């Protein structure tokens, strides 16, 4: 049986592109640049005025911590914990802030007077599924939607004698599948970052307590 390369080559190209994008997903989704100005000044000010200084105004402390981290999602308890672990070479402060911000939609963080990592930082539950199977669902969704979207797009660009209305419908459905595939890719990456943040923070805290 002869292989129809005119058909096989585009299909192989689509499959290769889907796999390549999946393997490079974390590099692509991490290409986010925050404009962080006066980082040194913010750090000096935080250490001089707020870090373990007995300041009792929670709002001021939280605003100062958010200015230091350049993140609206943190409070001073979390920032102080990250600083403490960073100064003992157990984590990288900037990396942890990135993981926290990127995965915030999956993180349940209970703010209070003190930070209890085992109770206050958790992955938001969903249908009793842990983060790993939830990530597999997103991965499966990516491959399924990307494959069908790519196949439909291939049909559109190679179609002859098909009504324009049908072609437009196929194109819209194809783009919708591709958009859903990319959404699955982004959500999987954010869930991974949320899981990595909590896991690395708790592991670092255990090491710090054992020092």
């Amino acid at each position: 049986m002869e292989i129809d390369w005119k058909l096989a080559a585009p299909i192989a190209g689509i499959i290769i592109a889907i796999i390549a994008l999946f393997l490079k997903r974390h590099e692509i989704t991490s290409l986010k640049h925050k404009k962080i100005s006066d980082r040194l000044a913010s750090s000096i000010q935080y250490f001089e005025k707020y870090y373990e200084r007995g300041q009792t105004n929670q709002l001021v402390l939280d605003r100062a911590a958010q200015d230091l981290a350049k993140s609206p999602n943190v409070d001073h308890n979390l920032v102080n914990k990250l600083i403490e672990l960073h100064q003992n070479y157990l984590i990288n402060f900037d990396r942890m802030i990135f993981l926290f911000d990127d995965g915030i939609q999956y993180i349940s963080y209970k703010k209070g007077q003190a930070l209890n990592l085992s109770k206050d930082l958790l992955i938001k539950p969903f249908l009793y599924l842990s983060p790993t199977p939830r990530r597999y669902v997103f991965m499966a969704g990516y491959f399924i939607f990307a494959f069908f979207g790519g196949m439909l797009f291939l049909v559109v660009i190679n179609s002859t004698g098909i009504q324009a209305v049908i072609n437009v419908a196929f194109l819209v459905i194809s783009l919708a599948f591709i958009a859903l595939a990319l959404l699955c890719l982004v959500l999987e990456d954010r869930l991974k970052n949320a899981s990595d943040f909590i896991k690395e923070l708790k592991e670092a805290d255990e090491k710090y307590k054992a020092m």
Side-chain angles (χ1 to χ4, degrees), residues 2 13 31 68 110 138:
E2 294 184 3
L31 292 177
L68 171 65
K110 183 180 178 182
F138 286 134

Side-chain angles (χ1 to χ4, degrees), residues 78 96 99-100 107 121 193-201:
L78 181 58
M96 296 300 285
L99 293 178
F100 182 74
I107 296 174
L121 269 172
N193 286 339
S195 180
D196 286 350
F197 173 81
I198 293 177
K199 179 182 176 182
E200 292 179 20
L201 180 57

Side-chain angles (χ1 to χ4, degrees), residues 118-132:
S118 62
K119 295 181 180 180
D120 298 337
L121 269 172
L122 303 168
I123 295 291
K124 292 179 181 177
F126 180 75
L127 298 178
Y128 303 101
L129 293 176
S130 65
T132 299

Side-chain angles (χ1 to χ4, degrees), residues 29-129:
T29 53
S30 64
L31 292 177
K32 302 169 185 176
H33 176 69
K34 289 189 197 177
K35 292 182 179 178
I36 301 179
S37 60
D38 300 325
R39 174 176 285 183
L40 179 59
S42 297
S43 301
I44 293 173
Q45 177 176 285
Y46 189 79
F47 273 89
E48 288 182 347
K49 294 184 177 180
Y50 308 108
Y51 184 62
E52 296 182 345
R53 296 291 180 180
Q55 167 66 256
T56 57
N57 190 312
Q58 299 298 311
L59 181 61
V60 172
L61 287 172
D62 289 342
R63 291 289 184 266
Q66 290 165 4
D67 182 56
L68 171 65
K70 302 303 181 212
S71 166
N73 302 311
V74 300
D75 69 347
H76 72 284
N77 284 326
L78 181 58
V79 167
N80 285 351
K81 173 57 71 175
L82 295 177
I83 290 173
E84 184 178 51
L85 297 175
H86 178 92
Q87 293 189 139
N88 284 276
Y89 303 99
L90 296 172
I91 61 165
N92 179 280
F93 180 86
D94 293 329
R95 166 179 158 75
M96 296 300 285
I97 290 295
F98 168 77
L99 293 178
F100 182 74
D101 276 347
D102 198 56
I104 188 63
Q105 74 184 86
Y106 294 107
I107 296 174
S108 173
Y109 176 41
K110 183 180 178 182
K111 299 179 181 179
Q113 292 292 331
L115 176 61
N116 186 326
L117 294 182
S118 62
K119 295 181 180 180
D120 298 337
L121 269 172
L122 303 168
I123 295 291
K124 292 179 181 177
F126 180 75
L127 298 178
Y128 303 101
L129 293 176

Side-chain angles (χ1 to χ4, degrees), residues 145-146 149 152 169-183:
F145 289 131
L152 277 175
F170 278 169
L171 180 61
V172 170
I173 296 172
S174 170
L175 294 177
F177 276 140
I178 292 172
L180 288 171
L182 294 176
L183 178 62

